[in-house]
């Protein structure tokens, strides 16, 4: 009897572990649709213009052709915010502004918008679309003694430090399925064009 109970518990645990990523993707997909619906509305534009975006509200759309990514990024990096897939480090500038815009994204759950971040290479384009402008960033060559993208520790907050030029930093967990380290990519702002 005890062996049968243990077998059932083990089977339920295995199914739960297998189903969890699908569940998080489903939930993030629902949230992404709601964010896209709200993005660009008059109410949203007003909140964006006045700097009243709260944790979890739509900030920008990120499009990274090389990664196959097209997702909404929310304000904040709390667990709630990141459950939508990707979040903007609130202590960093907004897209297109001077300094280092930093965005964190999931790699294996919650829609996994940064699942393929390791494929980025110098010259690849990253687009951030806000309610008012489309900003084009280009991945830069390695610098400071490391490649780009590069791996750092999970508690290396220096990746979000200010930069003298308008830059974008993407971060995600590394290795895949673990938050032991971070995979980081840096890109430079090339153009900003108004959107209708």
């Amino acid at each position: 009897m005890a062996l049968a109970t243990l077998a059932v518990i083990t089977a339920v645990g295995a199914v739960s572990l297998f189903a969890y990523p699908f569940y998080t993707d489903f939930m993030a997909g629902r949230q992404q649709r709601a964010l896209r619906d709200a993005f660009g509305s008059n109410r949203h534009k007003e909140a964006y213009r006045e700097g009243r975006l709260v944790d979890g509200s739509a900030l920008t759309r990120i499009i990274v052709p090389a990664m196959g990514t097209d997702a909404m990024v929310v304000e904040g990096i709390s667990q709630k915010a990141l459950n939508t897939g990707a979040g903007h480090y609130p202590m960093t500038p907004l897209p297109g502004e001077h300094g280092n815009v930093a965005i964190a994204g999931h790699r294996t759950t919650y829609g996994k918008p940064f699942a393929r971040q390791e494929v980025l290479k110098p010259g690849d384009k990253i687009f951030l679309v806000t309610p008012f402008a489309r900003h084009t960033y280009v991945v830069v060559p390695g610098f400071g003694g490391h490649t780009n993208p590069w791996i750092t520790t999970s508690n290396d907050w220096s990746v979000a430090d200010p930069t003298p030029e308008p830059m974008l930093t993407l971060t995600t967990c590394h290795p895949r399925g673990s938050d032991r380290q971070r995979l980081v990519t840096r890109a430079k702002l090339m153009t900003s064009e108004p959107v209708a």
Side-chain angles (χ1 to χ4, degrees), residues 47 51-58 74-76:
R52 293 185 290 110
L53 295 175
V54 297
D55 189 71
S57 60
V74 299
E75 178 63 15

Side-chain angles (χ1 to χ4, degrees), residues 35 53-59 73-78 80-82 84:
L35 290 166
L53 295 175
V54 297
D55 189 71
S57 60
L59 177 81
V73 177
V74 299
E75 178 63 15
I77 54 172
S78 67
K80 176 187 170 198
L82 288 176
T84 64

Side-chain angles (χ1 to χ4, degrees), residues 34-137:
L35 290 166
R36 284 182 193 269
D37 289 344
F39 190 73
S41 68
N42 288 336
R43 185 176 176 190
H44 179 259
K45 286 180 180 180
E46 183 180 321
Y48 190 98
R49 186 181 295 115
E50 296 175 2
R52 293 185 290 110
L53 295 175
V54 297
D55 189 71
S57 60
L59 177 81
T60 188
R61 179 177 169 201
I62 185 169
I63 303 166
V64 191
M67 290 176 12
T69 296
D70 184 344
M72 297 304 298
V73 177
V74 299
E75 178 63 15
I77 54 172
S78 67
Q79 185 61 48
K80 176 187 170 198
L82 288 176
N83 284 354
T84 64
H88 168 252
Y89 287 70
M91 65 286 213
T92 68
L94 295 177
E97 291 183 346
H98 195 76
N100 182 20
V101 180
I103 296 174
H106 280 288
R107 197 169 183 194
T108 57
T109 55
Y110 294 100
K112 49 191 170 292
F114 290 5
R116 300 186 63 236
Q117 187 174 328
E118 74 280 358
V119 305
L120 290 178
K121 61 190 182 312
D124 285 341
K125 292 183 179 177
I126 302 170
F127 304 99
L128 296 183
V129 182
T130 72
F132 302 103
R134 178 183 174 99
H135 308 285
T136 303
Y137 292 84

